[in-house]
Amino acid sequence: MPELSFVLPRVIAHRGASAAAPENTLAAFRRAREEGATWIECDVKLTADGRPVIFHDDTLDRTTDGSGPMVDAPLDVVGALDAGGWFSPDFRGEPVPTLEETLDLLADLGMGANLEIKPCPGRERETAAVTAAAVQPYLDRVPVLLSSFADESLAAAREAAPDVPRGLLVEAVPADWQARAAALECVALHVDAVPLTAEQVAAMRAAGYKVVVWTVNGESEARRLVEWGVDAVITDAPQRIGAAIG
Ligand code: G3P
Ligand code: MG
């Protein structure tokens, strides 16, 4: 089991403080810091011309004033979109950040990142390799934990940057979780909190894995998960959930 060179925080802001600011924007990452979070989770995918940007969906429609698939949009198009106005007029004009802009901000704020590799279909290896290369110059200032639902992306990340720790993202914990996590040399399981059981948390911890759960926005749910022994909760509301779990 690879050793982590940093301490994982108890609270990680999901797509930034996404209850209070538009998800996956620099505004949401600044807001997370203001709410007391020391780490964010965000989603990395590639533009048509292969540039890593912070974006969740495969299409531009929900969170920008653009439309169509991200895979068809080059960076000069993506970078000109408004990724804040859909959330509130207060954030109109907030751009889709590049991965480098995000890492620069996190370095300035003294924050860490769980970078979820979220490839558009067919770009699993490429998205991971680009992400792994982009983080290299920042690793002395920004602690990074990579994660993905895609085993192919985690394998490519391991090849490109074996020393950057990895977490296997899953919804319901699959029967073969331990074999998959071991094969990919992961340090953590990132698990949907809803179907998770105390027994599963205990088993993952007993096997030496960190347990990160998402997306936890209820105070009592967060307290219960911490009692079960999870290491970190990913939440849209870091101040409220941080206060609930101390
Ligand atoms: O990384 C945890 C969580 O973000 C995974 O789901 O859809 O919010 O990216 P999603
Ligand atoms: Mg995510």
Side-chain angles (χ1 to χ4, degrees), residues 46-51 69-75 78 123 126:
L46 300 181
T47 60
D49 45 347
R51 298 291 303 278
M70 171 66 84
V71 74
D72 292 341
L75 183 61
V78 173
R123 303 191 86 177
E126 185 188 4

Side-chain angles (χ1 to χ4, degrees), residues 1-4 145 165-168 181 185-189 208-211:
M1 173 81 51
E3 285 292 310
L4 279 184
L145 174 59
R166 292 168 299 283
L168 176 64
E185 295 179 276
C186 290
V187 299
L189 275 292
Y209 292 96
K210 304 286 186 198
V211 181

Side-chain angles (χ1 to χ4, degrees), residues 224-240:
R224 172 171 52 77
L225 289 159
V226 168
E227 277 165 27
W228 288 356
V230 306
D231 294 281
V233 298
I234 297 180
T235 177
D236 300 330
Q239 188 162 38
R240 185 165 53 76

Side-chain angles (χ1 to χ4, degrees), residues 14-15 24 41-44 56 114 116 118 147 149 169 234:
H14 183 234
R15 312 180 195 172
N24 284 332
E41 183 267 2
C42 63
D43 306 294
V44 184
H56 182 274
N114 169 203
E116 182 190 341
K118 191 81 137 180
S147 60
F149 287 109
L169 249 170
I234 297 180

Side-chain angles (χ1 to χ4, degrees), residues 3-246:
E3 285 292 310
L4 279 184
S5 61
F6 49 78
V7 177
L8 209 53
R10 185 64 68 81
V11 172
I12 300 175
H14 183 234
R15 312 180 195 172
S18 58
E23 66 180 60
N24 284 332
T25 65
L26 299 185
F29 306 152
R30 286 192 199 95
R31 175 66 186 239
R33 189 73 199 87
E34 287 161 15
E35 291 197 18
T38 58
W39 274 54
I40 58 140
E41 183 267 2
C42 63
D43 306 294
V44 184
K45 60 197 330 135
L46 300 181
T47 60
D49 45 347
R51 298 291 303 278
V53 292
I54 307 303
F55 204 79
H56 182 274
D57 296 0
D58 285 341
T59 58
L60 303 170
D61 302 61
R62 180 179 64 88
T63 60
T64 77
D65 58 350
S67 65
M70 171 66 84
V71 74
D72 292 341
L75 183 61
D76 60 352
V77 170
V78 173
L81 296 174
D82 172 6
W86 71 275
F87 184 85
S88 150
D90 295 346
F91 293 99
R92 192 163 287 142
E94 187 68 31
V96 175
T98 64
L99 175 56
E100 289 85 354
E101 288 165 349
T102 298
L103 291 164
D104 283 336
L105 176 68
L106 297 178
D108 286 348
L109 296 175
M111 298 182 81
N114 169 203
L115 300 177
E116 182 190 341
I117 301 164
K118 191 81 137 180
C120 292
R123 303 191 86 177
E124 288 79 9
R125 291 188 59 84
E126 185 188 4
T127 306
V130 169
T131 302
V135 302
Q136 293 296 334
Y138 294 90
L139 292 175
D140 58 338
R141 288 164 291 152
V142 181
V144 171
L145 174 59
L146 300 174
S147 60
S148 189
F149 287 109
D151 290 32
E152 244 187 295
S153 290
L154 292 171
R158 180 181 55 181
E159 284 166 33
D163 295 337
V164 181
R166 292 168 299 283
L168 176 64
L169 249 170
V170 294
E171 291 174 340
V173 177
D176 61 350
W177 67 268
Q178 195 162 2
R180 283 173 63 192
L184 295 161
E185 295 179 276
C186 290
V187 299
L189 275 292
H190 296 222
V191 189
D192 183 351
V194 173
L196 185 64
T197 67
E199 292 70 28
Q200 289 169 329
V201 174
M204 290 185 272
R205 285 180 55 86
Y209 292 96
K210 304 286 186 198
V211 181
V212 179
V213 290
W214 51 275
T215 302
V216 181
N217 291 326
E219 288 98 329
S220 57
E221 181 189 21
R223 281 192 287 267
R224 172 171 52 77
L225 289 159
V226 168
E227 277 165 27
W228 288 356
V230 306
D231 294 281
V233 298
I234 297 180
T235 177
D236 300 330
Q239 188 162 38
R240 185 165 53 76
I241 294 303
I245 62 180

